[in-house]
Amino acid sequence: MKLSLSVRVAESFSDKRNSELTLDQLIAMAKNFGYEALCMRASQLGTHSPPEQVAEAREKIDEAGLAVSMVTGDFAVPSNNEEGPMLLRNITPYLDLADALGSSLIRVCMKKDEDIEFAQKSADEAAERGIRLAHQSHCASLFETVDGSLRVLEAVGRPNFGIIYEPANWFIADEDYGIDAIRKMKPYLFNFYIQNHRLTPDGVTNVTTWKKGPVPVDHIGVWEEGGIDVEGVFDAMHEVGYEGYITVHQAFGDVMPVEEAVRKSYERLQPLAAARTA
């Protein structure tokens, strides 16, 4: 597995529009700590960005020897709001952005079954350009549960449409996120996000779920105990032969110094990404 750094690390959990750091700072941080790619979001670059700004960023990323593991091209998709699925009604600008950044993967959002038809059409258009689409295993979406995710993936039925496996959201929704779930998702595993939360009655944040209502959590690093079973997740991903990107996806902007969190995340995850189960 290859480690990717999401530009989300410089956002706060609740504010996905603003970043504490510039793209130059994030590029330098990723390179210095050993990450192989950046996961791009609209807080840095999106479909709203001028083409010349995107081209300049691509040049800097290339010069640093980094790739762009995935593109999230607007603010509605990561906000997971009712506007999130609108990109599936006009995927072309997102394909253009991914092409400009040299990425072959775009994150999408789906909230209702009526989005399935548009996901199929978008996947067909993306396939013409060698690009894949993926939906995060995200609370309060069609991918909040394992069975729900599998149903939608099978309904879309396109080889270039898959899932961004993210265990913390299934953990929050009281879903199985371990080896049994990963085996079911194996044909569709396009990306692997990781962040961590601790379930606690007086948590600093309430995460909205369809299954359980608001769930209080504290945000903790992947190197801390009390959240997801990080080692177990990596063992399971190795077992199914996943060799793609593992992306540090946690918002540290209002939790702890970003540089410290990025370093600690790499130190915790790199040995697990490189390990092989017996």
Side-chain angles (χ1 to χ4, degrees):
M1 285 180 255
K2 300 169 288 186
L3 280 174
S4 171
L5 182 68
S6 175
V7 301
R8 174 169 167 76
V9 296
E11 302 169 6
S12 72
F13 186 81
S14 59
D15 185 357
K16 299 173 173 63
R17 289 182 170 268
N18 298 305
S19 176
E20 285 191 356
L21 302 176
T22 67
L23 184 58
D24 287 344
Q25 290 173 309
L26 288 162
I27 290 171
M29 193 178 296
K31 180 178 175 62
N32 290 342
F33 287 123
Y35 292 84
E36 297 185 53
L38 287 177
C39 186
M40 192 60 63
R41 287 162 61 96
S43 61
Q44 295 292 339
L45 294 169
T47 55
H48 59 279
S49 302
E52 57 272 18
Q53 181 184 358
V54 176
E56 180 182 2
R58 168 71 185 278
E59 184 176 350
K60 292 177 178 179
I61 293 167
D62 286 349
E63 286 177 353
L66 300 172
V68 176
S69 57
M70 190 175 70
V71 171
T72 303
D74 62 27
F75 297 108
V77 168
S79 295
N80 192 45
N81 59 29
E82 295 306 312
E83 296 299 313
M86 293 308 296
L87 86 162
L88 296 173
R89 276 65 171 174
N90 181 22
I91 198 66
T92 305
Y94 301 83
L95 300 175
D96 293 341
L97 178 65
D99 267 342
L101 289 172
S103 179
S104 62
L105 185 61
I106 296 171
R107 178 180 166 186
V108 303
C109 176
M110 301 173 70
K111 303 287 282 187
K112 301 176 181 178
D113 277 2
E114 66 191 50
D115 298 326
I116 291 173
E117 175 187 357
F118 295 100
Q120 292 171 325
K121 293 177 180 178
S122 293
D124 290 341
E125 183 179 343
E128 294 174 0
R129 298 170 67 166
I131 294 175
R132 301 174 300 160
L133 308 180
H135 197 297
Q136 182 183 351
S137 51
H138 202 293
C139 296
S141 79
L142 293 185
F143 288 72
E144 180 177 276
T145 67
V146 176
D147 289 344
S149 300
L150 192 60
R151 179 185 71 84
V152 176
L153 290 164
E154 292 173 346
V156 174
R158 298 296 190 270
N160 66 325
F161 189 94
I163 192 169
I164 306 159
Y165 168 67
E166 200 280 88
N169 270 280
W170 280 346
F171 171 64
I172 291 170
D174 197 24
E175 286 285 298
D176 170 32
Y177 63 87
I179 185 58
D180 290 341
I182 291 170
R183 284 173 180 155
K184 292 177 182 178
M185 295 298 128
K186 180 178 178 178
Y188 308 103
L189 290 172
F190 284 6
N191 202 351
F192 175 11
Y193 270 175
I194 194 160
Q195 57 183 330
N196 205 9
H197 307 295
R198 181 184 292 120
L199 304 181
T200 177
D202 56 352
V204 298
T205 301
N206 281 321
V207 176
T208 300
T209 72
W210 288 346
K211 181 179 176 181
K212 298 183 66 180
V215 177
V217 303
D218 284 332
H219 308 300
I220 59 174
V222 293
W223 59 89
E224 296 183 76
E225 299 296 326
I228 63 170
D229 177 6
V230 175
E231 290 188 10
V233 163
F234 273 82
D235 285 346
M237 292 295 274
H238 282 304
E239 181 176 316
V240 300
Y242 179 78
E243 296 181 347
Y245 283 107
I246 159 67
T247 299
V248 175
H249 180 66
Q250 190 136 3
F252 291 111
D254 54 358
V255 177
M256 65 185 301
V258 175
E259 186 170 3
E260 178 185 354
V262 169
R263 175 182 59 80
K264 285 187 173 183
S265 295
Y266 182 86
E267 290 173 350
R268 171 61 169 147
L269 299 178
Q270 196 280 329
L272 297 177
R276 290 292 182 270
T277 54

